[in-house]
């Protein structure tokens, strides 16, 4: 839900694995995971269709890694490293 991409959807258990870690309900079969959407009704979400023009518009907001780093430094932000979860 946080990343829009073109092409075929990849099959992965990563979301399930992350949900189990974040809820602490591993092995119970009671994993709860939600994504909030503001401003859109259930009907609007169900009728949503791919719009390449809007995707191009969203992609136009991307900045380079160097530009993002410069912006962060000017704002006094500090980089923090973290370990990624292993891929399956």
């Amino acid at each position: 839900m946080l990343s829009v991409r073109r092409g075929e959807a990849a099959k992965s258990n990563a979301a399930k694995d992350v949900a189990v870690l974040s809820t602490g309900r591993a092995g119970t079969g009671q994993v709860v995971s939600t994504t909030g959407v503001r401003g859109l009704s259930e009907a609007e979400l169900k009728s949503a269709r791919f719009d390449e023009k809007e995707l191009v518009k969203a992609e136009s907001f991307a900045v380079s890694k160097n530009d993002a780093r410069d912006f962060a430094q000017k704002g006094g932000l500090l980089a923090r490293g973290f370990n990624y979860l292993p891929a399956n």
Side-chain angles (χ1 to χ4, degrees):
M1 294 296 295
L2 302 176
S3 179
V4 176
R5 296 179 186 198
R6 295 184 208 197
E8 295 294 319
K11 292 184 180 181
S12 169
N13 289 329
K16 181 180 125 194
D17 296 341
V18 170
V20 168
L21 290 173
S22 66
T23 64
R25 296 180 182 181
T28 65
Q30 298 178 2
V31 176
V32 176
S33 179
T34 63
T35 299
V37 179
R38 291 185 176 185
L40 297 174
S41 70
E42 183 178 352
E44 289 171 318
L45 290 172
K46 287 182 178 180
S47 67
R49 299 289 177 258
F50 176 74
D51 185 338
E52 186 168 2
K53 181 179 173 185
E54 289 298 316
L55 180 58
V56 169
K57 181 180 176 182
E59 290 173 339
S60 75
F61 297 126
V63 297
S64 71
K65 185 175 181 178
N66 288 334
D67 287 344
R69 185 181 299 118
D70 291 344
F71 178 81
Q73 286 176 346
K74 289 177 185 173
L77 302 176
L78 301 174
R80 293 190 182 217
F82 61 94
N83 294 324
Y84 289 97
L85 294 173
N88 290 340

